[in-house]
Amino acid sequence: MAEQTSDTTAPTSLWVERTGTRRYTGRSSRGAEVLIGSEGVEGVFTPGELLKIALAACSGMSSDFPLSRRLGDNYDATIRVSGAADRENEVYPQLDEVLELDLSELDADAQERLVALVERSVDKVCTVGRTLKAGTKVTLTVQREA
């Protein structure tokens, strides 16, 4: 039995279920789903694409507060992320993000200050980006059913 804590919110469980050859559905205990598969399959994300999307989303969420304070709650932002895989080593040696914002209502000095603040915010609190930059230990346990 799991140890009970004083926190009333259980941590989110994440898993994938195989739905076909090189096709999976990613799920969360909060009811979210994402379709995952090979690059040639329509309507799915590859695992590498999900990694890139997680990075872009984390950067966006990490910059949301300073941007909304200065641009208003309804500002538009798009974060594009790219990076080719090194198939010989099966890694992404570099991921590049571009945050697209309309800062035309701010003067040049205010724009520079806001960009610097956004960069500091993302560097400080984007867990995905910080993890990728630092590297992380990954373990795999194969649980066998008897």
Side-chain angles (χ1 to χ4, degrees):
M1 184 169 188
E3 181 178 318
Q4 290 186 339
T5 64
S6 60
D7 185 4
T8 59
T9 305
T12 300
S13 295
L14 302 171
W15 67 96
V16 297
E17 295 174 355
R18 186 173 188 269
T19 58
T21 303
R22 296 184 52 84
R23 288 187 64 111
Y24 289 80
T25 299
R27 301 187 190 280
S28 84
S29 58
R30 293 191 326 266
E33 293 183 355
V34 62
L35 301 178
I36 307 163
S38 297
E39 191 171 0
V41 178
E42 285 296 315
V44 301
F45 289 105
T46 68
E49 290 167 342
L50 289 172
L51 175 75
K52 293 174 191 178
I53 287 172
L55 176 62
C58 188
S59 294
M61 293 171 69
S62 297
S63 62
D64 195 67
F65 183 67
L67 287 171
S68 64
R69 267 196 350 225
R70 284 162 183 79
L71 302 176
D73 286 336
N74 295 322
Y75 74 92
D76 291 325
T78 299
I79 303 164
R80 299 189 189 280
V81 60
S82 61
D86 170 352
R87 290 296 171 207
E88 184 175 320
N89 296 301
E90 290 299 334
V91 297
Y92 290 99
Q94 181 169 333
L95 298 175
D96 300 304
E97 295 179 279
V98 176
L99 172 54
E100 299 172 356
L101 291 169
D102 179 359
L103 301 179
S104 61
E105 293 187 14
L106 302 176
D107 65 37
D109 288 340
Q111 287 184 23
E112 291 303 317
R113 286 191 306 272
L114 183 55
V115 166
L117 179 59
V118 165
E119 289 170 344
R120 282 193 311 272
S121 294
V122 171
D123 285 344
K124 184 177 179 181
V125 299
C126 176
T127 306
V128 175
R130 292 174 60 84
T131 300
L132 289 170
K133 288 175 185 176
T136 192
K137 179 180 176 182
V138 177
T139 63
L140 171 66
T141 303
V142 178
Q143 184 174 339
R144 303 174 205 183
E145 295 181 15

